[in-house]
Amino acid sequence: MQRCDKKVDIGRRQFLRGSAVAAAGAAATAALPAQAQTAAPAQLARVAYPSNRLGNVSELIENDPLYVAYPDDDAPGVLLKLGKAVPGGAGPDSDIVGFTTSCPHQGFPLSYTADSRTFNCPGHYSVFDVEQGGMQVWGHATQNLPQYVLRVDDKGDIYAEGVDELLYGRLSNVL
């Protein structure tokens, strides 16, 4: 498995300092005459995480998590076969999803509850619905649970090729 070198440990002061610099840059750009501002095509921010094989469809049992790590060994996650098509689902039935298992609020390890098909945080009680793309439905988290961008090849191998939200502790998703 390839290592990801995009982890950042940032404190509140460093974050505020960086925000101030960004705000000053935005204000300076806005002050330029219109003809000096060249129109560049808008692009979505996307992390260049490595494409990693996480498993095979044959290893999945419906509604039973298969524990994996993506984009590196320091980022625990799961693959789930839900048995019905869901947003962001991959595979022949669009029912295979993958998520990080670290809460986006403060990084607590999440547990999966098969009955409700949710991930639950023991730290501040955030709840994430896996049938709705990891949508936060309760708690202190301010973003949805990061979901893997998955691809299933013709042999049934499941590859993760990116993440749709900010992983806890990693700043690279927003650069």
Side-chain angles (χ1 to χ4, degrees):
M1 179 175 277
Q2 296 178 351
R3 302 273 311 155
C4 177
D5 60 355
K6 299 185 184 314
K7 292 189 285 187
V8 174
D9 184 18
I10 185 169
R12 185 180 311 179
R13 289 183 184 176
Q14 182 64 31
F15 174 79
L16 292 173
R17 188 177 307 125
S19 298
V21 170
T29 300
L32 290 174
Q35 61 268 33
Q37 298 178 19
T38 59
Q43 295 182 2
L44 296 175
R46 179 152 184 213
V47 178
Y49 285 136
S51 177
N52 285 341
R53 182 188 177 278
L54 300 181
N56 189 283
V57 173
S58 65
E59 300 173 62
L60 299 177
I61 299 169
E62 188 172 318
N63 206 25
D64 186 28
L66 175 66
Y67 293 91
V68 297
Y70 183 76
D72 57 35
D73 292 336
D74 295 326
V78 297
L79 290 177
L80 286 163
K81 180 171 180 59
L82 297 174
K84 69 176 191 175
V86 294
D93 300 323
S94 298
D95 66 341
I96 299 170
V97 292
F99 294 96
T100 181
T101 55
S102 295
C103 183
H105 178 232
Q106 289 189 338
F108 284 92
L110 301 173
S111 61
Y112 182 67
T113 303
D115 292 341
S116 60
R117 295 187 180 211
T118 59
F119 278 103
N120 305 285
C121 180
H124 297 103
Y125 311 110
S126 291
V127 177
F128 305 92
D129 185 342
V130 298
E131 292 181 333
Q132 297 299 317
M135 180 174 67
Q136 181 209 355
V137 293
W138 182 260
H140 288 297
T142 58
Q143 73 178 52
N144 295 331
L145 188 60
Q147 183 173 4
Y148 302 154
V149 177
L150 298 177
R151 173 179 58 86
V152 179
D153 70 11
D154 56 351
K155 294 182 236 168
D157 288 331
I158 304 166
Y159 293 87
E161 299 187 328
V163 181
D164 73 347
E165 296 272 353
L166 178 65
L167 291 176
Y168 179 77
R170 298 179 190 224
L171 190 58
S172 64
N173 294 57
V174 295
L175 293 179

